[in-house]
């Protein structure tokens, strides 16, 4: 999976496109590049964790992975915060 992530990120960074259309969303290359260059090991772990928990039928895995990569820097912290809040809810007396 790590090789797939690296391949997809590398391909996106090396493209000459001005925009990326991923599903119904369009992203400017500058945003895609910024987000992909901000990825670190914690983001990759988050992405793999989310993929492992996904039960949805993904029809275009390449688009799904690229969109996940692009969104990871913007969503990871909130994802883990809500997980902790959920897990700790009601545990204090």
């Amino acid at each position: 999976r790590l090789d797939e992530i690296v391949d997809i990120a590398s391909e996106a960074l090396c493209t000459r496109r001005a925009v990326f259309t991923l599903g119904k969303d369009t992203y400017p290359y500058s945003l895609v590049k910024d987000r992909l260059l901000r990825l670190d090991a914690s983001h990759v772990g988050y992405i793999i964790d989310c993929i492992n928990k996904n039960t949805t039928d993904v029809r275009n895995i390449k688009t799904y992975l690229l969109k996940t990569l692009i969104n990871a820097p913007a969503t990871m912290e909130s994802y883990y915060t809500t997980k902790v809040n959920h897990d700790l809810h009601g545990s204090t007396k």
Side-chain angles (χ1 to χ4, degrees):
R1 233 177 249 152
L2 183 58
D3 288 340
E4 291 175 1
I5 290 170
V6 171
D7 286 345
I8 289 170
S10 298
E11 182 180 325
L13 287 169
C14 292
T15 191
R16 296 193 184 272
R17 289 193 232 174
V19 296
F20 285 83
T21 302
L22 304 171
K24 296 178 182 177
D25 300 316
T26 301
Y27 301 91
Y29 175 76
S30 59
L31 175 69
V32 172
K33 179 181 177 183
D34 176 64
R35 297 257 182 98
L36 291 176
L37 292 176
R38 287 175 28 203
L39 292 173
D40 62 24
S42 64
H43 295 111
V44 174
Y46 161 66
I47 291 164
I48 291 171
D49 185 45
C50 289
I51 290 169
N52 287 341
K53 293 177 182 175
N54 181 36
T55 59
T56 305
D57 182 25
V58 178
R59 298 185 186 262
N60 187 336
I61 193 66
K62 186 174 179 180
T63 297
Y64 175 82
L65 283 172
L66 183 55
K67 195 166 184 177
T68 304
L69 289 167
I70 292 167
N71 287 326
T75 60
M76 183 180 75
E77 189 173 326
S78 293
Y79 172 81
Y80 284 122
T81 298
T82 59
K83 294 281 286 174
V84 168
N85 290 346
H86 176 268
D87 292 347
L88 296 178
H89 178 72
S91 65
T92 58
K93 293 184 180 186

